[in-house]
Amino acid sequence: MIPLPKTALFDYPKYWAECYGTATFLPTSRAEMDQLGWDSCDIILVTGDAYVDHPSFGMAVIGRMLEAQGFRVGIISQPDWQNKDAFMSLGKPNLYFGVTSGNMDSMINRYTAEKRLRHDDAYTPNNEGGKRPDRAVLVYSQRCKEAYKDVPVVIGGIEASLRRIAHYDYWSEKVRRSILFDAKADILIYGNAERPLVEVSHRLAQGENIADIQDVRGTAFLAKHALVGWHGIDSRSIDKPGKIDPIPSPYQDMSTASCDTGEMATDNADVTTTPQAVNVIEFKSDKHRNKSWQDKKKPWLTTYINLPTYEQVKDNKMLYAHASRIFHQEVNPGSAKPLVQKHGDRIIWLNPPAYPLSEQEMDDVFGLPYQRVPHPKYGDAKIPAYDMIKTSINIMRGCFGGCTFCSITEHEGRIIQSRSEESILQEIEDIKEKVPGFTGVISDLGGPTANMYKLRCKSPKAEATCRKPSCVWPTICGHLDTDHTPTINLYRKARAIKGIKKVLIASGVRYDLAVEDPDYVKELAEHHVGGYLKIAPEHTESGPLNKMMKPGMGSYYRFKELFDKYSKAAGKKQYLIPYFISAHPGTSDMDMINLALWLKENDFKLDQVQNFYPSPLANATTLYHTEIDSLRNVRKNSDNVVVPKGGRQRRLHKAILRYHDPNNWPIIREALTKMGLARKLIGTKPGCLVPSEGKQEGNYQHYKKSGKGKNNAKGFKKGEGINRSSRTPRGKQGLTRFSDNQFTPSKKRR
């Protein structure tokens, strides 16, 4: 099993400033500090989001948690980053600045998947765009250093987490260094930051120098050399990428096995540390494991892994794919080793992940005195992100799905951290009391996934050592507990609370897990769906699904059958809303055509379509950048992955998903003609995907340009408008499915 840390999250001795008590809102100005009687802040948090005192906003969680430790915490939200003045508004912090871009990566927040500038920001009052800079963590950190150069800067949040080692950057289309180098920060905390941040804060408060804090799980820092007391192994001795062309040693001047000619180091190579190495890292929590752990010698507890250097992964895609593969193997808190990556004459040292929070710790974090509303300084301004989640409740963290396009695993980890029923039900009572205009509807009981609450590995040994990227792909692991009874019981108790009219489930349901427990599907369909339920098949074809690490459509059909059955039994007309991704690595043009045919066969007309967005460190981003199948052992002759790149092909894939939009017909026709499918799929027959060009289309285009309307162009039949979304399956229409290698229909659908 995953060992517990020495000190629970809220068992640290309180800092002396606890005497000031709890603030109604954490102060955002000097005037508010004066009202609280503070002469200074111990910790100042800088965020790119508006300050909303709600447990769905990261800075509120971190701020309230540090306040509960006894620290005086101030918040600088969405500061003017043009100069340092805004970063001095609360004065000089006694301990450190904590910097984050906010709940979202600032680049994803600012740009669409096609790199077009967004003009809105859901985390800003009145949805106003442009209130945070690009690469906000870098900019904020540098301004903090300009304001008070001797004050430590701690960076964290999703933006820092996903850039903790060398990573491919979609926006500049190059591999960038670890964010620590460019941010000039002192330490990086990745993942959910509570445990490491509390330890770092108390040690700084005790007078320890931040440069000496090198043994905290969930942190990364820069060093000149590998640390004494540890021995390094070459990452390529763990996952051999095969013979490669001779290259300079990526580990010269560092303790490592020789790889000057690209040959593999052995697992038992004699490795020494450099004489200039700094102090020994000894993870304090590792000394307090149970007796069975203590009685054995564990040399692996002082072993780190040398990744290929930044200079190498920048120029060598195979080594980038290899480094990504090793990185994703070392995410289990029970068995992960530190990772080291050289950048020039320095290294980034990445400690193993922090241990997950216990149920009691989760309860304590979510039970802090949140006001559950935006700071009063925003007045009547609407903050869309808050309006969306103000009556929703996070019941768990983490995800063991391992979807390659998703960054939850890289950030929150694979181990599910759940709250108790009592804690969740109490939060419902808080919502009733604190949320203005509450109507009795809870908009969501969920998290990264709706139905992973209290699910975990049934084998403690497997849980502590497993390196599988997913517990549910390609099939559900035999060790995984799929009993949804705790979730069902929670739903029943939540809707039984006096004053609660409806409890909806808005988080995406993992349907391959749900079908393992039909009682959950029954409960969901009967009581917790408001007409539509979101699920995410993401695709219908095996090629892209395998590169997404998503289940095949068999699970979807089984779930739909159960959902329709229980909805009908309850006397309700309810529909599934499937989400799909276009232009994902592994997706050919033919895959998209087959997906569009499936959509037409089932009478789906999608309003919103998401092109694949390569976020830093995600497995799918490695596939996108390298075009190498890094989901398998990386070899020189590894399979190439088809990757839709370039504006035109990405637009085509997105257009095919919206086959019903006349604006997309010309580009689809052109593609079908080039693929030799014009006679089969262009025309007015039931099996065709788009009509031939004709007067009707001209009428539509003329009407649209005239500005008189969008959805009911003259000459169009009902349902052909570009914004109409019909989600009621009409049954099979006999549409054919095509393969990449031939244009003849396959005999039957997968």
Side-chain angles (χ1 to χ4, degrees):
M1 62 183 293
I2 303 296
L4 295 176
K6 174 186 175 183
T7 307
L9 193 60
F10 291 90
D11 285 352
Y12 288 86
K14 297 291 191 293
Y15 189 59
W16 70 264
E18 178 196 15
C19 61
Y20 284 98
T22 301
T24 305
F25 286 89
L26 301 177
T28 63
S29 67
R30 280 283 196 169
E32 293 172 64
M33 290 171 59
D34 292 340
Q35 290 175 2
L36 294 169
W38 297 5
D39 60 347
S40 62
C41 291
D42 301 309
I43 299 164
I44 295 177
L45 304 177
V46 181
T47 176
D49 291 341
Y51 171 30
V52 178
D53 200 45
H54 187 287
S56 289
F57 284 72
M59 275 299 94
V61 173
I62 294 300
R64 288 298 186 183
M65 180 202 62
L66 291 172
E67 179 188 53
Q69 304 292 327
F71 299 107
R72 293 169 295 178
V73 183
I75 290 186
I76 300 177
S77 62
Q78 299 189 319
D80 178 1
W81 67 89
Q82 303 299 331
N83 57 64
K84 65 182 181 181
D85 293 347
F87 297 80
M88 304 174 75
S89 61
L90 300 183
K92 182 178 180 179
N94 300 320
L95 297 179
Y96 64 86
F97 280 108
V99 172
T100 178
S101 66
N103 274 19
M104 284 185 68
D105 184 292
S106 63
M107 299 300 286
I108 294 176
N109 179 279
R110 186 68 166 147
Y111 297 94
T112 70
E114 307 312 315
K115 303 179 186 177
R116 295 191 181 97
L117 191 67
R118 301 185 197 271
H119 298 286
D120 56 359
D121 185 341
Y123 291 89
T124 300
N126 295 323
N127 204 23
E128 184 180 355
K131 288 296 184 179
R132 78 186 82 208
D134 291 354
R135 310 188 191 282
V137 171
L138 296 183
V139 178
Y140 291 162
S141 298
Q142 292 169 0
R143 291 292 181 263
C144 289
K145 284 294 187 182
E146 290 176 17
Y148 303 105
K149 64 180 180 181
D150 58 332
V151 174
V153 172
V154 179
I155 59 175
I158 188 74
E159 183 165 315
S161 276
L162 300 187
R163 292 166 172 79
R164 55 191 186 262
I165 63 172
H167 55 279
Y168 174 73
D169 183 81
Y170 173 62
W171 302 274
S172 60
E173 297 185 0
K174 66 180 183 181
V175 176
R176 292 177 65 100
R177 303 187 299 176
S178 165
I179 194 172
L180 266 174
F181 287 91
D182 296 326
K184 314 300 183 187
D186 295 276
I187 196 169
L188 182 154
I189 295 180
Y190 66 88
N192 294 120
E194 290 97 343
R195 196 182 299 289
L197 192 57
V198 165
E199 182 175 347
V200 168
S201 299
H202 281 290
R203 289 171 66 174
L204 287 173
Q206 292 166 7
E208 196 166 343
N209 191 307
I210 196 166
D212 296 329
I213 300 178
Q214 299 173 328
D215 59 347
V216 178
R217 285 175 167 270
T219 65
F221 57 88
L222 302 181
K224 283 288 186 180
H225 304 284
L227 305 180
V228 73
W230 290 73
H231 68 279
I233 58 174
D234 190 327
S235 63
R236 291 174 293 177
S237 69
I238 300 171
D239 196 76
K240 298 178 175 62
K243 190 179 187 322
I244 59 177
D245 296 332
I247 52 176
S249 168
Y251 313 120
Q252 56 190 2
D253 302 326
M254 292 175 58
S255 58
T256 167
S258 172
C259 56
D260 290 319
T261 62
E263 297 176 355
M264 295 304 101
T266 60
D267 288 328
N268 59 354
D270 181 18
V271 184
T272 59
T273 53
T274 59
Q276 300 93 340
V278 293
N279 59 310
V280 177
I281 283 188
E282 188 178 63
F283 292 107
K284 295 181 177 180
S285 53
D286 291 337
K287 298 188 298 181
H288 298 268
R289 298 181 178 186
N290 59 48
K291 194 171 187 295
S292 63
W293 286 72
Q294 292 176 0
D295 290 346
K296 298 179 181 178
K297 292 183 178 180
K298 298 176 277 293
W300 58 87
L301 293 180
T302 54
T303 299
Y304 65 87
I305 300 173
N306 275 312
L307 297 175
T309 65
Y310 160 70
E311 287 76 17
Q312 285 193 310
V313 298
K314 177 170 66 76
D315 298 322
N316 187 315
K317 291 186 177 181
M318 189 174 75
L319 286 181
Y320 184 99
H322 161 73
S324 172
R325 185 169 167 78
I326 295 295
F327 171 84
H328 285 92
Q329 289 177 357
E330 299 298 323
V331 296
N332 186 335
S335 58
K337 299 177 179 65
L339 299 177
V340 169
Q341 188 175 53
K342 191 177 181 185
H343 290 57
D345 62 352
R346 289 189 291 173
I347 63 170
I348 175 80
W349 182 288
L350 186 67
N351 280 321
Y355 294 129
L357 300 187
S358 67
E359 181 178 274
Q360 183 59 55
E361 289 173 324
M362 286 283 286
D363 289 353
D364 291 342
V365 167
F366 283 88
L368 294 168
Y370 306 101
Q371 295 300 313
R372 305 194 70 89
V373 293
H375 190 282
K377 69 179 182 179
Y378 301 120
D380 295 330
K382 297 293 185 182
I383 301 175
Y386 167 71
D387 290 337
M388 183 182 299
I389 55 82
K390 62 184 177 182
T391 62
S392 71
I393 297 175
N394 287 321
I395 63 175
M396 44 76 69
R397 286 179 180 170
C399 181
F400 49 68
C403 300
T404 62
F405 52 82
C406 180
S407 299
I408 292 173
T409 297
E410 287 82 5
H411 185 58
E412 295 192 0
R414 298 189 182 115
I415 296 174
I416 301 302
Q417 304 162 72
S418 299
R419 300 166 60 186
S420 69
E421 278 186 357
E422 294 75 17
S423 170
I424 296 165
L425 299 177
Q426 180 57 51
E427 187 169 348
I428 294 177
E429 297 289 353
D430 288 346
I431 289 174
K432 288 169 53 181
E433 178 184 344
K434 294 181 178 179
V435 175
F438 178 62
T439 62
V441 177
I442 298 296
S443 59
D444 188 27
L445 289 180
T449 302
N451 58 319
M452 287 187 183
Y453 178 65
K454 292 199 173 181
L455 301 188
R456 65 179 303 160
C457 186
K458 293 182 289 188
S459 167
K461 183 177 179 180
E463 183 181 49
T465 59
C466 182
R467 282 179 162 80
K468 286 183 63 177
S470 172
C471 298
V472 292
W473 184 88
T475 58
I476 295 176
C477 177
H479 290 306
L480 182 65
D481 179 10
T482 58
D483 181 10
H484 286 57
T485 300
T487 312
I488 295 171
N489 291 338
L490 174 64
Y491 288 0
R492 290 173 177 172
K493 291 179 180 179
R495 69 172 186 267
I497 292 176
K498 185 178 180 180
I500 298 301
K501 299 176 183 177
K502 187 82 173 179
V503 177
L504 298 172
I505 304 304
S507 297
V509 172
R510 185 83 193 201
Y511 54 83
D512 52 341
L513 283 173
V515 297
E516 296 294 311
D517 195 338
D519 287 342
Y520 173 75
V521 184
K522 183 175 186 291
E523 184 76 14
L524 193 68
E526 287 183 351
H527 301 287
H528 300 283
V529 177
Y532 299 98
L533 178 68
K534 295 187 299 184
I535 59 173
E538 309 297 3
H539 217 284
T540 59
E541 307 306 296
S542 60
L545 286 173
N546 285 336
K547 295 301 178 284
M548 295 174 181
M549 296 205 304
K550 290 284 288 186
M553 290 297 287
S555 296
Y556 169 84
Y557 291 127
R558 289 195 296 275
F559 180 80
K560 184 180 184 305
E561 181 181 1
L562 289 171
F563 182 78
D564 289 348
K565 170 186 172 182
Y566 293 128
S567 294
K568 183 177 180 180
K572 297 182 176 182
K573 290 185 178 181
Q574 300 180 147
Y575 309 105
L576 298 178
I577 304 177
Y579 283 77
F580 297 94
I581 295 179
S582 54
H584 191 278
T587 308
S588 67
D589 294 350
M590 197 66 71
D591 288 329
M592 292 305 303
I593 295 297
N594 285 324
L595 171 53
L597 290 171
W598 184 90
L599 292 171
K600 186 170 185 179
E601 178 180 354
N602 289 278
D603 197 25
F604 284 113
K605 295 177 180 178
L606 307 181
D607 284 332
Q608 297 178 340
V609 175
Q610 177 62 57
N611 252 355
F612 168 65
Y613 207 147
S615 58
L617 284 193
N619 262 316
T621 302
T622 299
L623 300 177
Y624 177 89
H625 168 55
T626 66
E627 301 180 32
I628 296 171
D629 188 0
S630 58
L631 304 182
R632 303 174 180 270
N633 289 338
V634 176
R635 299 283 189 268
K636 190 168 185 178
N637 60 349
S638 290
D639 293 339
N640 289 330
V641 177
V642 57
V643 178
K645 286 186 177 180
R648 182 169 181 80
Q649 190 176 26
R650 285 171 63 84
R651 284 195 300 273
L652 170 64
H653 282 209
K654 190 172 183 178
I656 292 172
L657 266 186
R658 301 196 73 248
Y659 66 91
H660 54 282
D661 182 351
N663 288 323
N664 294 328
W665 292 348
I667 190 173
I668 296 174
R669 287 194 201 100
E670 180 183 352
L672 292 175
T673 301
K674 289 181 179 178
M675 296 166 72
L677 295 172
R679 294 183 62 185
K680 297 179 183 294
L681 297 181
I682 299 176
T684 56
K685 294 182 294 185
C688 291
L689 187 61
V690 295
S692 302
E693 185 174 5
K695 182 178 179 181
Q696 186 184 46
E697 183 176 353
N699 288 342
Y700 177 87
Q701 298 294 348
H702 174 75
Y703 186 82
K704 185 172 185 294
K705 289 179 181 179
S706 72
K708 296 180 180 179
K710 294 182 178 180
N711 299 329
N712 56 349
K714 184 178 179 180
F716 269 72
K717 298 177 183 178
K718 182 179 179 181
E720 290 186 42
I722 65 169
N723 289 325
R724 181 178 175 83
S725 178
S726 173
R727 298 186 175 98
T728 309
R730 296 187 307 190
K732 298 188 181 300
Q733 301 173 357
L735 296 177
T736 56
R737 179 175 175 272
F738 299 90
S739 69
D740 281 309
N741 299 322
Q742 56 185 18
F743 297 145
T744 56
S746 60
K747 292 185 178 179
K748 68 176 183 178
R749 181 175 298 278
R750 186 179 68 262

